[in-house]
Structure formats: structure tokens, C-alpha cells
């Protein structure tokens, strides 16, 4: 049975998450502090739905129907009738801690509070609420309407019932959920980021060009995208932030961010979003 979900943050991930829930029959409250982000989020969902209709994966009539299930709201009180909250706001620990503290008083007592965080501890987020058993990670991948995986992260206090319901919801959205425990980087980034970091070391040490490294990994390992192309897509600032979290949280020097990555971020070379990273856009 589909209920009401509140999605906090209408950026890259939030609009994709709202899209997928609405497409699967949920009533969606899309909440963002920035009115411009709400407008842009809704416009992005509309154009992505229209593309799906053109491709024939949904009917043209479904576009207004799905959009009609999404209500854009500027204030957090919009989560007042949600059975599930999926937080996809900016990746800053203080901001998420404050959001969950407030959501705990706004959302119905039975609601599950999920975070789409890439790296912040679900256990620490849960500890900011009076319902840590109902706090869980629901880590969607970018672009959300296309990528199959949802990493479901259990914090120290997350209950079996919360986990079961979250896995059930992700499956009903047509995704494949994978259950993991709450350690820095979870699984996706714990395995991906050291590979990207090593590829950056290989560039720094002059082992090969970015094009050559990406070709080795694509043609030799069957990766659909080389690690440096992927790093540009994720954002080099985001890659650096995730490596910092793993380095600090796990304390092992194998996670230390490559000096070239630091230098590029300091220079504003952030990948696709800034027009220049390992490649030019
Ligand atoms: N971009 C990715 O590839 C990716 C992949 C997986 C997970 N994530 C995670 O998803 C989350 C969102 O990332 P994103 O890339 O969509 O960021 P984004 O910058 O595109 O969007 C974040 C949005 O949150 C809004 N926001 C900030 N503070 C808020 C508040 N107090 N209340 C409501 N809205 C608020 C901002 O206005 C912005 O629109 C982060 O935790 C990130 O780590 C990102």
C-alpha cells in the first residue's frame, strides 16, 4: 500500500527520489528551503517524465498524473502527514543533525526517517532523534530514475521492522535494495572511492593519461565508465569529502586523499559541474 512520503531537498537526488515515488503511486511532499530549487526540481521531473513518455516507457497521460501527486513545499511542516521521510538535503553533518532533530517532532510518531547521505553516520543521525530505531539510510544512486541499486544502511539502533519495511518499499519502487551496516563509506563508496583515488595517484605519478586509465578499466575490466570519468560525474569535491570521512572514520592511511585530488578541488576543478576536471565539458 502506498502512502505519503516527504522528500527533503529538491536537488539532484531529491527530485529523482520524488520522481520515482510519485511514479509508483505515492503522494509526495517535496520540501526545500530554496524556492528556486523547488521550481528547478519540478521542472527536471517534468522533463524526465516527458522523455520517458517519448521513449514509450510510460504513457503520455501518466505525465500530468504523476506530477499531480507531487506537492512542492518550502517548510518542513509538510512532513506532518508522512509515513516515510527521505532526506536528501546538502551533505553537511550539522545540517542533517538539525533536520532530523526537527523532523522527529514534525513527522508522525510511527514514521520512518531515512537519509540519502553518502557518508554521514546513520547511527549519529539517529541519535539526534527520540526514535533511533526508526532511522535508516536509504542511499539511492544518481540518476535515481535509472539506477537499480538502493543501499539500505542499518544504524546501531535501527530495528528489524524498520529495515524490513524499508527493503519492502525500495523493492516496490522497482529497485534492488541491498542491506549493509553503518561504517564510514558504507559499501558503495568504501569500494568505489579507493579505486578512484588510486586512478588519480596513477595520473599524478605519470603512470598514464586519464584517457588511458579510463580505457584500461572500461575495456579491461568491463566497467561502463572509467574511474576518472566517473569522478568528474560525481564531482571531485564530493569525492574528496567522502575520502576524508573514510580516512577520519577508519583511521587507515590507505584512504588518504591523493594530493592531486586536493589540488584540483582547491583550484575549483570539480569535474562536470564546473566545466573542468580530468576532462573538459
Ligand atoms: N549527487 C550524487 O550523486 C549523490 C548520490 C548519492 C547520494 N547523494 C547524497 O544525497 C544528498 C543530496 O545530494 P544532492 O547531490 O542532491 O545535493 P544538491 O546540492 O543537488 O541538493 C541539495 C538540496 O538540499 C536543499 N537544502 C539544503 N538545506 C535544506 C534544509 N534545511 N531543508 C530543506 N532543503 C535543504 C538545497 O536547497 C538543495 O536544493 C546528500 O546527502 C548527498 O551526499 C548524492
Amino acid at each position: 500500500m502506498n502512502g505519503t512520503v516527504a522528500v527533503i531537498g529538491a536537488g539532484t537526488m531529491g527530485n529523482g527520489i520524488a520522481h520515482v515515488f510519485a511514479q509508483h503511486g505515492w503522494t509526495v511532499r517535496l520540501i526545500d528551503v530554496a524556492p528556486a530549487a523547488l521550481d528547478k526540481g519540478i521542472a527536471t521531473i517534468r522533463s524526465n517524465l516527458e522523455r520517458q513518455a517519448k521513449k514509450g516507457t510510460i504513457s503520455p497521460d501518466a505525465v500530468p498524473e504523476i506530477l499531480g501527486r507531487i506537492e512542492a513545499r518550502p517548510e518542513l511542516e509538510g512532513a506532518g502527514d508522512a509515513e516515510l521521510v527521505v532526506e536528501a538535503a546538502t551533505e553537511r553533518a550539522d545540517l542533517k543533525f538539525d533536520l532530523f532533530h526537527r523532523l522527529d517532532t514534525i513527522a508522525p510518531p510511527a514514521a520512518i526517517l531515512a537519509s540519502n547521505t553518502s557518508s554521514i553516520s546513520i547511527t549519529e543521525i539517529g541519535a539526534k532523534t527520540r526514535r533511533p530505531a526508526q532511522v535508516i539510510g536509504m542511499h539511492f544512486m544518481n540518476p535515481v530514475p535509472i539506477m537499480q541499486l538502493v543501499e539500505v544502511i542499518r544504524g546501531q539502533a535501527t530495528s528489524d521492522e524498520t529495515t524490513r519495511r524499508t527493503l519492502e518499499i525500495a523493492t516496490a519502487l522497482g529497485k534492488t535494495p541491498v542491506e549493509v551496516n553503518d561504517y564510514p563509506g558504507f559499501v558503495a563508496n568504501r569500494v568505489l572511492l579507493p579505486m578512484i583515488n588510486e586512478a588519480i595517484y596513477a595520473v599524478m605519478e605519470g603512470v598514464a593519461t586519464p584517457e588511458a586509465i579510463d580505457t584500461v578499466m572500461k575495456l579491461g575490466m568491463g566497467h561502463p565508465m572509467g574511474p576518472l570519468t566517473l569522478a568528474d560525474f560525481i564531482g571531485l569535491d564530493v569525492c574528496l569529502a567522502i575520502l576524508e570521512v573514510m580516512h577520519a572514520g577508519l583511521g587507515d592511511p590507505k584512504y588518504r586523499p591523493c594530493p592531486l585530488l586536493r589540488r584540483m578541488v582547491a583550484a575549483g576543478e570539480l569535474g562536470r559541474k564546473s566545466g573542468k576536471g580530468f576532462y573538459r565539458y
Side-chain angles (χ1 to χ4, degrees):
M1 201 186 66
N2 299 326
T4 297
V5 61
V7 178
I8 316 300
T12 308
M13 297 304 288
N15 77 62
I17 294 167
H19 173 144
V20 168
F21 272 97
Q23 191 180 337
H24 288 80
W26 286 68
T27 300
V28 179
R29 315 259 184 253
L30 181 58
I31 299 169
D32 200 297
V33 281
L38 283 174
D39 291 345
K40 188 166 172 229
I42 296 287
T44 303
I45 296 170
R46 182 189 305 279
S47 81
N48 288 340
L49 285 169
E50 282 166 355
R51 183 163 349 106
Q52 282 176 286
K54 241 184 228 141
K55 274 203 213 148
T57 52
I58 59 172
S59 81
D61 294 346
V63 176
E65 201 181 297
I66 294 168
L67 279 170
R69 284 198 278 271
I70 304 173
E71 187 194 358
R73 300 275 296 258
E75 78 293 333
L76 216 51
E77 281 64 29
D81 62 351
E83 80 168 69
L84 171 68
V85 177
V86 182
E87 173 277 319
T90 312
E91 184 79 346
R92 264 182 32 216
D94 58 335
L95 189 148
K96 292 199 195 282
F97 293 165
D98 175 60
L99 270 174
F100 275 76
H101 179 69
R102 286 160 60 206
L103 283 166
D104 191 28
T105 62
I106 293 169
I112 291 176
L113 307 181
S115 176
N116 186 54
T117 178
S118 305
S119 61
I120 297 165
S121 162
I122 298 301
T123 304
E124 285 184 42
I125 292 176
K128 300 296 179 281
T129 73
R130 291 159 303 173
R131 60 176 103 182
Q134 289 155 248
V135 174
I136 195 161
M138 210 175 178
H139 187 203
F140 290 86
M141 304 291 132
N142 184 21
V144 183
I146 291 166
M147 297 295 278
Q148 193 63 33
L149 178 70
V150 180
E151 202 177 22
V152 172
I153 303 124
R154 287 188 75 135
Q156 179 75 13
T158 308
S159 71
D160 290 343
E161 176 52 23
T162 298
T163 307
R164 186 200 63 71
R165 179 67 182 134
T166 305
L167 294 170
E168 179 181 74
I169 291 169
T171 305
L173 294 175
K175 303 296 187 196
T176 303
V178 173
E179 186 182 329
V180 312
N181 287 317
D182 183 27
Y183 288 100
F186 316 134
V187 170
N189 287 321
R190 172 93 174 244
V191 177
L192 175 65
L193 265 297
M195 182 187 68
I196 287 176
N197 203 36
E198 200 59 33
I200 302 173
Y201 271 107
V203 175
M204 187 178 78
E205 291 168 10
V207 179
T209 62
E211 290 81 355
I213 293 165
D214 279 350
T215 303
V216 166
M217 297 307 288
K218 277 194 299 187
L219 303 187
M221 316 300 156
H223 290 199
M225 205 187 258
L228 299 164
T229 303
L230 182 54
D232 275 359
F233 181 71
I234 295 170
L236 300 191
D237 51 338
V238 175
C239 291
L240 177 58
I242 297 171
L243 281 163
E244 303 269 33
V245 167
M246 293 200 295
H247 193 208
L250 297 160
D252 189 320
K254 75 180 175 186
Y255 300 108
R256 72 195 183 284
C258 176
L260 175 60
L261 174 62
R262 285 192 193 286
R263 198 167 72 156
M264 291 175 75
V265 171
E269 295 173 10
L270 307 180
R272 225 167 237 287
K273 63 184 159 192
S274 74
K276 183 166 187 278
F278 291 98
Y279 300 94
R280 285 185 179 277
Y281 301 91

